[in-house]
Amino acid sequence: MTDTREELATKVDIADWLSLRAHLERGGVIVVDPLLELIEVGTALAADEVQKVQRWLSTGLLTKPSHEQVQTWDADKGKIFNCLIISPYVLIQEPVKP
């Protein structure tokens, strides 16, 4: 699992919303709450840790983008996210503001 975590850490990227929006159309975008670490979520998905992922989903720490979020992001042409692809999903997380 450590190898997977280290490998995924190298795959975290930054992308603007317009680049990510195409993945929304196929239902592949998952929003990761800032309380979670993006790499931890990616590792859990890659390892098929169903109970952990279900817990995050049930508590709202992992969600599909809401209609309101999409409208807000569409209006902000420069909106960026940290992202991690765990096929077929694209995990996105708003960067934490210092």
Side-chain angles (χ1 to χ4, degrees):
M1 179 96 70
T2 303
D3 291 339
T4 301
R5 185 176 176 81
E6 290 171 3
E7 180 183 342
L8 291 178
T10 67
K11 297 188 185 293
V12 173
D13 204 354
I14 296 173
D16 62 71
W17 172 243
L18 295 177
S19 298
L20 295 167
R21 198 176 197 303
H23 299 284
L24 177 72
E25 303 303 321
R26 64 172 182 76
V29 174
I30 298 176
V31 180
V32 178
D33 189 277
L35 293 174
L36 296 176
E37 184 181 301
L38 193 59
I39 297 166
E40 179 184 5
V41 175
T43 303
L45 281 173
D48 203 25
E49 294 181 27
V50 175
Q51 289 181 335
K52 186 182 279 190
V53 173
Q54 285 180 335
R55 186 173 63 247
W56 291 332
L57 289 166
S58 68
T59 58
L61 294 172
L62 290 182
T63 61
K64 293 286 188 167
S66 70
H67 180 70
E68 293 78 19
Q69 285 174 312
V70 171
Q71 284 184 321
T72 300
W73 299 336
D74 282 346
D76 183 355
K77 302 296 182 208
K79 182 69 180 170
I80 60 165
F81 292 90
N82 294 323
C83 62
L84 178 62
I85 297 172
I86 304 293
S87 189
Y89 303 108
V90 178
L91 304 175
I92 66 170
Q93 187 175 52
E94 294 193 54
V96 178
K97 296 175 182 160

